[in-house]
Amino acid sequence: YKGVWSSDALSATMAAGTTSAALGTTTFTVRCNNQSGYTLSAKTGTEAGTLASGSNTIATAAGNSFAAGTAGTSYWNFKLGSASNGMTIATGYDSAIAIPTTATTVVTGAANSGNLNGGQSVTVTYGAGIDNFQPTGTYTGTVVYTLAAA
């Protein structure tokens, strides 16, 4: 399953009992002139960290496997990769991992590492798995990214 991007939103139709470790990707390019470097933080847009369709939810969780025949195992997550030289992906975030519910640094850029012309880039890959018991619906959620001076 592959998602489609439109206006900064990734959408996909997935059948029950399926998983996609690479539902969609996005690449962030940072152009930073801060001599101390920078941080890129991420968090879910909701305190619970869930995708929601009415009162039905899908939790964020690590990994790419789930029990299709077991209720409550649906998930969504992300992983970071392909970081430019001078960028460091925080420990664990280069594997499919639950999206943090509070702002957490996921990438750092070293002092004076920013390439002002070309920038530095990191790719985020989103994944999801839908168990056979997940109620049908349009599930929505957000990930909030914040770029800040180190």
Side-chain angles (χ1 to χ4, degrees):
Y1 292 89
K2 292 287 182 192
V4 175
W5 285 97
S6 176
S7 300
D8 292 334
L10 175 64
S11 63
T13 300
M14 293 182 67
T18 62
T19 186
S20 177
L23 192 62
T25 62
T26 189
T27 299
F28 290 96
T29 300
V30 177
R31 292 176 180 87
C32 179
N33 64 357
N34 182 38
Q35 302 225 353
S36 298
Y38 58 87
T39 61
L40 179 66
S41 299
K43 72 178 194 88
T44 58
T46 63
E47 187 175 312
T50 58
L51 298 178
S53 177
S55 62
N56 300 314
T57 60
I58 297 174
T60 184
N64 292 321
S65 62
F66 69 112
T70 302
T73 61
S74 295
Y75 70 89
W76 71 299
N77 59 29
F78 73 167
K79 68 178 178 179
L80 286 77
S82 303
S84 294
N85 194 18
M87 294 179 105
T88 302
I89 296 172
T91 302
Y93 286 93
D94 56 351
S95 299
I97 193 165
I99 302 163
T101 56
T102 59
T104 302
T105 297
V106 294
V107 173
T108 57
N112 298 314
S113 64
N115 175 336
L116 291 181
N117 294 320
Q120 294 172 296
S121 62
V122 64
T123 299
V124 180
T125 302
Y126 301 94
I130 309 301
D131 68 44
N132 290 330
F133 299 91
Q134 190 68 46
T136 301
T138 300
Y139 289 80
T140 59
T142 58
V143 182
V144 178
Y145 293 92
T146 304
L147 179 65

